């Protein structure tokens, strides 16, 4: 996005910003954070990633799920495999007829600890509160309320705090639920998220629980 400050034009931002790093879950795999600029965006775009040891991956961004109120689209991804090796990873994408290249240096030994997630007393069909411990190196958290019975995501939010409450819900007393907390080394609570250097994630999950009528 271009803007004016003190009568001078700010330098244009890169059309593609990208970061890749470790994802600490059942095993250490990879996570990524992508920001695509400017505001004029195609319906979809494919970003190719290459790295040490023949690492190769293609990521397709879809605007329907990635467009933010500021007009910038972004995507956070994670996967327990493939794992990363230390070295230089390169993102490439064809944008406005030109190939954009973004190199990222990765230290595969650098990981985030997994959050320990607790559920507040008396979760109901209308409201669920979750909290977790601080995670050194984490800038923000993606929190998801999931229905374990159906395998669906009921609600999600991005926060910098160590707790959140999901309200105005319509949960079922017969189903099992859990809260997943993804700690992120970049501030994904920003809109758009901030991309700088290596991007690490980790996953902490609450025990399954049921809800009662309020």
């Amino acid at each position: 996005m271009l803007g004016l400050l003190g009568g001078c034009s700010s330098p244009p931002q890169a059309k593609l910003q990208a970061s890749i790093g470790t994802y600490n879950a059942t095993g250490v795999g990879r996570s990524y954070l992508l920001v695509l600029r400017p505001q004029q965006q195609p319906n979809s775009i494919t970003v190719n990633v290459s790295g040490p040891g023949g690492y190769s991956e293609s990521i397709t961004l879809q605007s329907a799920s990635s467009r933010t109120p500021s007009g910038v689209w972004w995507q956070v991804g994670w996967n327990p495999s493939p794992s990363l090796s230390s070295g230089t990873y390169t993102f490439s994408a064809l944008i406005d007829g030109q190939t954009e290249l973004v190199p990222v240096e990765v230290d595969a030994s650098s990981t985030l600890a997994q959050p320990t997630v607790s559920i507040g007393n008396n979760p109901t069909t209308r409201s669920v509160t979750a909290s977790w411990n601080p995670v050194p190196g984490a800038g923000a958290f993606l929190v998801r309320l999931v229905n374990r019975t159906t395998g669906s995501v009921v609600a999600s939010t991005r926060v910098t705090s160590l707790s959140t409450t999901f309200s105005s819900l319509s949960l079922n007393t017969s189903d099992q639920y859990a809260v997943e907390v993804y700690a992120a080394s970049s501030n994904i609570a920003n809109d758009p998220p901030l991309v700088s250097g290596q991007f690490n994630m980790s996953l902490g999950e609450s025990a399954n629980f049921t809800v009662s009528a309020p």
Side-chain angles (χ1 to χ4, degrees):
M1 176 184 287
L2 297 178
L4 296 177
L5 180 62
C8 297
S9 297
S10 59
Q13 294 173 320
K15 292 181 179 180
L16 175 66
Q17 294 176 277
S19 186
I20 189 169
T22 59
Y23 167 51
N24 185 9
T26 53
V28 177
R30 70 100 178 92
S31 63
Y32 61 82
L33 177 63
L34 300 170
V35 177
L36 179 64
R37 304 173 188 274
Q39 291 187 357
Q40 295 298 321
Q41 302 158 0
N43 289 329
S44 67
I45 192 169
T46 298
V47 180
N48 297 306
V49 189
S50 59
Y55 186 99
S56 179
E57 183 177 18
S58 291
I59 304 164
T60 299
L61 296 176
Q62 300 291 343
S63 61
S65 62
S66 304
R67 194 181 298 271
T68 71
S70 62
V72 180
W73 34 297
W74 65 281
Q75 180 166 326
V76 175
W78 49 87
N79 195 331
S81 63
S83 60
L84 299 179
S85 301
S86 296
T88 302
Y89 290 77
T90 301
F91 292 77
S92 66
L94 186 64
I95 303 175
D96 296 336
Q98 293 186 337
T99 299
E100 301 287 333
L101 296 175
V102 180
V104 180
E105 289 293 329
V106 170
D107 176 4
S109 67
S110 177
T111 60
L112 293 180
Q114 294 174 268
T116 299
V117 186
S118 301
I119 302 301
N121 294 332
N122 191 33
T124 72
T125 56
R126 300 287 295 166
S127 177
V128 172
T129 296
S131 61
W132 51 93
N133 60 297
V135 176
F141 303 89
L142 168 64
V143 189
R144 307 201 307 176
L145 174 61
V146 296
N147 185 320
R148 294 295 194 211
T149 302
T150 63
S152 60
V153 177
V154 177
S156 65
T157 186
R158 294 175 285 146
V159 299
T160 56
S161 59
L162 298 178
S163 66
T164 194
T165 297
F166 294 105
S167 56
S168 301
L169 301 171
S170 183
L171 306 182
N172 299 315
T173 56
S174 59
D175 289 348
Q176 294 251 323
Y177 296 90
V179 171
E180 300 174 340
V181 176
Y182 296 87
S185 62
S186 181
N187 192 352
I188 58 173
N190 275 31
D191 182 18
L194 304 178
V195 181
S196 60
Q198 182 170 333
F199 177 62
N200 295 334
M201 292 190 78
S202 64
L203 169 62
E205 303 174 87
S206 74
N208 290 355
F209 61 90
T210 57
V211 297
S212 59

